[in-house]
Amino acid sequence: MLKVEIDEQEVRNLYLERIEEKLKQVDAELVFWDSAELKRRTGMSWNTILKEFFYDERFPKYKVGRDWRFPAEETKQFLLTWLKEQPRH
């Protein structure tokens, strides 16, 4: 017969360490997105993004060299507002 003993305090410490690691990851979230991240986050193709909201003057975007950058928090807020404005069929 096999007997397993678990140190509950050690399990708790490991659990808290993992939570702390995850919180640090969340804090390290991207400050801005590139076009690939925008496509990933919205689940839309670049052509759909261009057609649906890219040219909306409220959409936060910055051209840096040849690339577009989108401030993460502002972009999230815009996308939520934009989605709520869409007709529900």
Side-chain angles (χ1 to χ4, degrees):
M1 180 182 215
L2 180 64
K3 184 176 179 183
V4 177
E5 292 185 31
I6 297 175
D7 181 343
E8 289 183 28
Q9 186 59 42
E10 185 61 28
V11 170
R12 179 178 165 76
N13 289 342
L14 289 170
Y15 177 75
L16 291 174
E17 283 177 26
R18 296 288 185 239
I19 289 175
E20 188 174 338
E21 287 174 17
K22 290 297 178 187
L23 288 173
K24 285 180 184 176
Q25 287 175 350
V26 168
D27 284 342
E29 185 175 330
L30 300 173
V31 173
F32 57 85
W33 302 343
D34 61 8
S35 57
E37 186 68 14
L38 180 63
K39 291 187 293 185
R40 187 184 76 76
R41 298 274 182 142
T42 61
M44 297 177 171
S45 70
W46 186 247
N47 285 338
T48 301
I49 290 169
L50 290 173
K51 183 179 116 199
E52 295 296 329
F53 60 79
F54 188 84
Y55 298 106
D56 185 318
E57 61 188 39
R58 300 171 299 163
F59 179 59
K61 58 189 170 290
Y62 299 89
K63 184 86 170 190
V64 180
R66 295 180 357 184
D67 302 321
W68 286 101
R69 297 289 182 249
F70 313 97
E73 287 304 317
E74 291 174 52
T75 302
K76 285 180 199 176
Q77 291 307 311
F78 168 82
L79 290 170
L80 291 171
T81 301
W82 174 83
L83 186 62
K84 290 174 185 172
E85 295 170 351
Q86 301 311 298
R88 296 181 184 183
H89 297 276

